Amino acid sequence: MFKEAGLTALVVFGLTFGLVGFKTHDVPGGLTILTRFDQVAMATVLAFVGRIAQVMLREGRAKPVLAAVGPFTLLVLTALLLDAFAAPDTVAPMAWARPFTSPVVNWIVLIIATIMTGRAAWALRHGLAGAADREAAMDRVGAKVQQAARYLGPVLLAVAIILPFLPIADRRLLDIAILVVTYIMLGWGLNIVVGLAGLLDLGYVAFYAVGAYSFALLATNFDLGFWICLPFAGVMAATAGVLLGFPVLRLRGDYLAIVTLGFGEMIRIILLNWYEFTNGPDGISGIPRPSFFGLPFKRSAPEGVETFHGFFDLTYSPLDRIIFLYYVILVLALITNLFTLRIRKLPVGRAWEALREDEIACRSLGINPTNTKLTAFSIGAMFGGFAGSFFATRQGFISPESFTFIESAVILSIVVLGGMGSQIGVVLAAVLLIGLPEFFRELQQYRMLAFGGAMVLIMVWRPAGLLAHRDPTIRLHGGKGVREGPT
Amino acid sequence: MTADPPAPLLTVEHLTMRFGGLVAIDDVSFQAADCEITAIIGPNGAGKTTVFNCLTGFYKPTVGRLTLHHPQKGDILLERMEGFRIAQKADVARTFQNIRLFAAMSVLENLVVAQHNALMRASAYTVGGLLGLARYRNAESEAVERARYWLDRVGLTDRADWDAGNLPYGDQRRLEVARAMCTEPVLLCLDEPAAGLNPRESQELNELLLFIRDEHRIGLLLIEHDMNVVMGISDHIVVLDYGRLISDGTPEEVRADPAVIRAYLGEEEDEDLPPEVARDLAQQAGPAEG
Ligand SMILES: Nc1ncnc2c1ncn2[C@@H]1O[C@H](COP(=O)(O)OP(=O)(O)OP(=O)(O)O)[C@@H](O)[C@H]1O
Ligand SMILES: [Mg+2]
């Protein structure tokens, strides 16, 4: 135990000595180095003690852990709260109980300590939980949430619908909401490909880009409106899906992932270099904003055109346009969701899932694997294309920079984190991964740290994703009261 | 080769399959009759599964002709067809030596997926299904009825909503047979369906196979190691050894064939054979070998 703890402390010491121990500091006339060995010592001690507590927890000795970590948690919590609510420029009391100088690191310490206290308390009441028990418990939670989704879904939907009219809805919140819903839609679209059909697609952003550029080029060259171009952008993206999918869908698993990644990059590079057509790195600007059945959201309109606020006799508010955009993406996302829920119960949808489970068995049942995969790929691409044209009309400007690999990675993270195939999981993951980081922009670089940390934690605790419970698409024995088999 | 009085369902002619230098099947010819159980037996690695893989389009035979005499659709040359089309157009269904169910899907869903092609047509290739047309709804409830029928037959009705992967092993084997039957085949190929079953389950499986033969009037090809099963229910036996056909006839003929006894009880090849099979054969062959 002590050996293990000592080793951990040593590693922490080694890591922090160089990284935390010295800090460059601006002084008039150059840089000096400040030493912060107290911080290093604190980190080492905390790591040592924390590791001991962890080992003791693992061995089932929860009482001493609770006795030690519990008060520590409370202490740190009080100190941090005092600090958080202290008037600026005053030193809050209990400064000695704040282990580090950086508030963010302190909060992280607090979170870890809280988790440990919780686990110790849990272990005292329910006995030691093994990984398998935890997995089973989480699965039951997943099943419960899935059941609750029947009620949770409408509630979330209601909140989403009235959101713009809530008193908290300001420009910033709505912007974040639009972003989150866009990613929810992308997540739902990719969920068809990855979650249902089991095709690992690392280049989904390519279809997002095709949709955005189709719309932008049509709109700027032919002077067409958003609603006319939208279906066309979807068709273009779906066509791109078929064209890209046809040669690569024979591949499986990792190979498919690599090739789709390559295709995603190819599309971006084409957009970057086909200057005459796409305007290259300069992008396309002046993309028209969507209108409300022909009524533009402008303060004043040219002769002969009535504006939205003019028509409805409202006072002009720049927020109107944002609210309208919000509803547009909400409707698009809901269409994606309803479509997926419906198609899952149709033969194609079931064939997608069967294909994910076992392609060889599918072939032995007369299911055409290539066509079935292609439909999944192109339908997923189509929704990506819709989302892409929305993105273009919202931004008014697009360039290849918006469609880098990192976008694909984020969308895929949302799907994987939410639990492959789970619709409500995607919502949850999008809020967690997109919404929270946007809200906590003040935390700057720690934002990405938290993002990565959350990903790692979830993958350790729940490799199948947050809500990986799957409900059958059809039942023989009604809904409830039937044994589902050992889970 | 014995002349089969019943109508032939499948004719295999000069089937050869090479993997690089390895000859897995070497010039094998036999016939399987309609409404009969034809067993393919042979020691491990004899090439039995490879015959199935050629028949169901997973491998393309190096040489040979595979003709299915489809009762409704006439003669079909299987070796020219792509894998999934054999199940789709020629109505040949199969099970796998290592069970291949859709583990995360429910038992009922497994059986509904098996009726994919019929449902696809009924849903007008998804369009009608999306619109919620009555035609698709009817087709789906028909599919569920068919699934229920087979669930009753294999005794899985109570577990219809379980995940297939959570079923006990014996149930999974039977579910795989039920799933294959849901495609309404004219030829059902079973790759060691009794492997790993206890004697009671094995007995139930025999009854199921006889039921399929007698009530659904289709032909069955059966790979099996358990000699009790083979001798008990097959009408016709084909014996392979090292990819070659060494015997072909009724169970009585095959049991008495010296070539078979040699293959199974040959001097050095004893270890290929599960002990209970060896004992069995030795008993049935009488005092011919020690
Ligand atoms: N795809 C393949 N590539 C190379 N060799 C193969 C392939 N498939 C089968 N073989 C070889 O062909 C031979 C026959 O294999 P097969 O699986 O048909 O035997 P089997 O009679 O089914 O045996 P068992 O009773 O163990 O199932 C074996 O030597 C095997 O290694
Ligand atoms: Mg085999």
Side-chain angles (χ1 to χ4, degrees):
Chain A
M1 179 162 88
F2 288 105
K3 203 171 130 206
E4 226 180 301
L7 207 64
T8 312
L10 197 70
V11 170
V12 170
F13 178 76
L15 282 175
T16 49
F17 186 77
L19 294 176
V20 181
F22 301 97
K23 185 188 180 191
T24 54
H25 189 67
D26 262 327
V27 289
L31 284 176
T32 56
I33 288 181
L34 286 184
T35 55
R36 300 189 294 183
F37 292 126
D38 52 333
Q39 303 269 296
V40 176
M42 185 54 105
T44 313
V45 169
L46 277 182
F48 185 77
V49 177
R51 185 69 186 192
I52 287 179
Q54 199 191 5
V55 172
M56 283 172 73
L57 257 187
R58 202 167 58 206
E59 289 169 355
R61 283 183 283 164
K63 229 178 236 156
V65 175
L66 190 62
V69 183
F72 174 76
T73 312
L74 282 179
L75 198 69
V76 176
L77 180 66
T78 355
L80 290 185
L81 286 180
L82 280 175
D83 185 43
F85 291 110
D89 298 328
T90 55
V91 178
M94 282 178 74
W96 52 268
R98 280 183 261 136
F100 297 98
T101 42
S102 152
V104 177
V105 179
N106 282 336
W107 281 103
I108 292 176
V109 169
L110 178 70
I111 288 170
I112 295 174
T114 312
I115 290 175
M116 222 166 228
T117 319
R119 281 185 60 191
W122 175 271
L124 269 186
R125 283 193 54 189
H126 300 276
L128 203 60
D133 291 342
R134 199 166 60 218
E135 192 59 24
M138 284 296 282
D139 208 60
R140 276 197 296 279
V141 172
K144 283 244 178 61
V145 174
Q146 212 88 353
Q147 266 178 5
R150 235 166 281 153
Y151 314 102
L152 192 69
V155 171
L156 281 180
L157 180 62
V159 172
I161 288 176
I162 58 170
L163 181 75
F165 302 109
L166 294 180
I168 51 161
D170 54 359
R171 172 82 199 242
R172 188 168 107 93
L173 182 84
L174 280 178
D175 271 338
I176 293 177
I178 290 176
L179 194 69
V180 170
V181 179
T182 311
Y183 276 96
I184 290 176
M185 174 168 180
L186 286 169
W188 278 339
L190 185 61
N191 211 0
I192 295 175
V193 185
V194 180
L196 292 185
L199 304 167
L200 190 51
D201 182 357
L202 289 181
Y204 191 60
V205 76
F207 308 123
Y208 190 47
V210 169
Y213 269 88
S214 306
F215 167 63
L217 290 170
L218 278 175
T220 50
N221 288 336
F222 300 105
D223 221 12
L224 295 172
F226 176 71
W227 297 107
I228 298 169
C229 296
L230 186 70
F232 194 77
V235 170
M236 285 296 281
T239 314
V242 172
L243 289 182
L244 297 193
F246 199 73
V248 304
L249 285 178
R250 272 159 228 282
L251 303 171
R252 278 181 218 176
D254 316 350
Y255 299 102
L256 180 69
I258 299 288
V259 175
T260 50
L261 191 157
F263 269 127
E265 283 299 280
M266 267 166 60
I267 294 269
R268 190 177 64 85
I269 290 171
I270 290 174
L271 293 178
L272 204 57
N273 290 297
W274 194 357
Y275 198 87
E276 305 77 54
F277 188 54
T278 67
N279 214 14
D282 302 340
I284 302 173
S285 52
I287 301 168
R289 308 304 190 137
S291 58
F292 184 84
F293 297 104
L295 304 173
F297 291 91
K298 287 194 183 125
R299 186 179 293 278
S300 57
E303 205 52 38
V305 180
E306 204 159 6
T307 59
F308 177 75
H309 67 280
F311 187 82
F312 288 101
D313 233 3
L314 304 166
T315 48
Y316 174 74
S317 152
L319 212 55
D320 283 351
R321 192 174 62 80
I322 308 291
I323 293 176
F324 179 64
L325 279 174
Y326 173 76
Y327 280 122
V328 169
I329 188 64
L330 191 64
V331 167
L332 287 177
L334 286 176
I335 290 173
T336 315
N337 185 30
L338 288 180
F339 182 89
T340 311
L341 291 182
R342 178 131 199 135
I343 207 159
R344 214 170 81 89
K345 294 189 180 356
L346 290 179
V348 230
R350 295 205 185 102
W352 289 341
E353 292 199 73
L355 213 54
R356 174 193 71 204
E357 294 297 310
D358 195 323
E359 183 172 339
I360 290 181
C362 277
R363 282 208 276 164
S364 83
L365 297 174
I367 297 174
N368 182 338
T370 319
N371 285 359
T372 310
K373 284 183 192 173
L374 268 182
T375 52
F377 214 64
S378 55
I379 288 176
M382 179 180 77
F383 286 117
F386 289 152
S389 24
F390 173 79
F391 176 76
T393 192
R394 177 175 97 107
Q395 299 283 345
F397 165 78
I398 52 171
S399 76
E401 243 165 71
S402 311
F403 308 104
T404 52
F405 167 68
I406 201 76
E407 287 299 312
S408 295
V410 168
I411 303 166
L412 189 66
S413 310
I414 289 174
V415 174
V416 173
L417 194 71
M420 302 237 261
S422 163
Q423 297 292 91
I424 201 101
V426 166
V427 175
L428 214 69
V431 171
L432 275 180
L433 287 188
I434 306 297
L436 288 187
E438 282 300 317
F439 261 110
F440 293 106
R441 265 197 184 276
E442 294 86 60
L443 295 184
Q444 298 159 18
Q445 67 267 47
Y446 293 109
R447 216 159 56 99
M448 287 334 261
L449 185 73
F451 182 105
M455 258 335 243
V456 170
L457 274 186
I458 288 166
M459 286 299 110
V460 168
W461 274 338
R462 200 138 166 78
L466 289 174
L467 301 175
H469 179 81
R470 175 184 181 279
D471 262 342
T473 57
I474 187 169
R475 283 173 183 276
L476 200 59
H477 304 294
K480 300 234 169 71
V482 190
R483 287 200 310 150
E484 281 280 310
T487 41
Chain B
M1 192 189 283
T2 46
D4 276 313
L9 180 62
L10 174 76
T11 308
V12 174
E13 290 163 287
H14 306 292
L15 177 64
T16 300
M17 183 78 219
R18 287 193 207 98
F19 297 108
L22 180 95
V23 185
I25 311 176
D26 188 4
D27 195 22
V28 166
S29 305
F30 66 91
Q31 276 200 323
D34 202 1
C35 311
E36 273 196 7
I37 297 180
T38 305
I40 302 180
I41 65 170
N44 287 113
K48 307 179 293 293
T49 301
T50 309
V51 171
F52 270 27
N53 283 339
C54 291
L55 278 175
T56 50
F58 284 92
Y59 296 158
K60 206 149 208 62
T62 320
V63 183
R65 180 140 75 155
L66 307 166
T67 318
L68 181 80
H69 311 288
H70 194 294
Q72 284 91 41
K73 302 178 183 168
D75 283 6
I76 302 175
L77 293 179
L78 297 182
E79 80 277 4
R80 299 207 181 150
M81 293 173 89
E82 234 183 303
F84 70 92
R85 279 194 210 287
I86 291 181
Q88 193 180 48
K89 296 274 189 318
D91 304 315
V92 177
R94 72 171 290 181
T95 67
F96 296 87
Q97 189 166 354
N98 44 345
I99 306 173
R100 284 182 176 278
L101 290 171
F102 306 123
M105 301 175 81
S106 78
V107 170
L108 180 62
E109 283 176 310
N110 268 270
L111 299 185
V112 173
V113 167
Q115 306 173 50
H116 177 78
N117 288 312
L119 286 173
M120 258 329 237
R121 279 191 297 277
S123 75
Y125 298 90
T126 308
V127 180
L130 277 178
L131 299 176
L133 297 188
R135 174 151 168 253
Y136 172 68
R137 284 204 305 276
N138 295 339
E140 190 178 51
S141 45
E142 248 171 63
V144 171
E145 274 323 300
R146 180 167 299 122
R148 187 199 289 275
Y149 170 83
W150 283 108
L151 286 172
D152 283 340
R153 299 265 44 112
V154 299
L156 284 175
T157 314
D158 290 343
R159 299 178 171 182
D161 296 330
W162 283 34
D163 280 357
N166 286 338
L167 289 178
Y169 187 79
D171 288 353
Q172 295 199 8
R173 282 258 176 236
R174 287 204 306 281
L175 176 58
E176 216 192 3
V177 176
R179 187 181 67 181
M181 283 311 294
C182 276
T183 65
E184 306 209 289
V186 296
L187 173 66
L188 176 63
C189 306
L190 301 160
D191 198 342
E192 303 199 18
L197 299 190
N198 63 35
R200 192 179 51 77
E201 289 173 328
S202 178
Q203 185 55 38
E204 283 170 10
L205 183 79
N206 285 358
E207 282 157 20
L208 176 67
L209 299 188
L210 290 173
F211 169 83
I212 291 174
R213 179 191 71 182
D214 297 334
E215 297 300 315
H216 287 265
R217 314 287 303 155
I218 65 169
L220 288 90
L221 274 185
L222 171 71
I223 296 181
E224 193 45 76
H225 275 301
D226 186 333
M227 283 303 145
N228 286 324
V229 176
V230 172
M231 295 298 167
I233 65 169
S234 38
D235 304 292
H236 171 192
I237 298 180
V238 172
V239 189
L240 299 182
D241 188 24
Y242 289 115
R244 270 192 297 275
L245 183 98
I246 57 169
S247 184
D248 180 354
T250 62
E252 291 73 31
E253 289 165 352
V254 166
R255 186 182 298 166
D257 191 333
V260 178
I261 298 164
R262 216 176 309 119
Y264 269 97
L265 299 177
E267 295 79 26
E268 304 91 17
E269 283 138 31
D270 255 355
E271 68 272 56
D272 281 350
L273 198 65
E276 69 276 7
V277 178
R279 208 176 335 103
D280 234 55
L281 266 180
Q283 271 170 13
Q284 280 159 353
E289 290 263 332

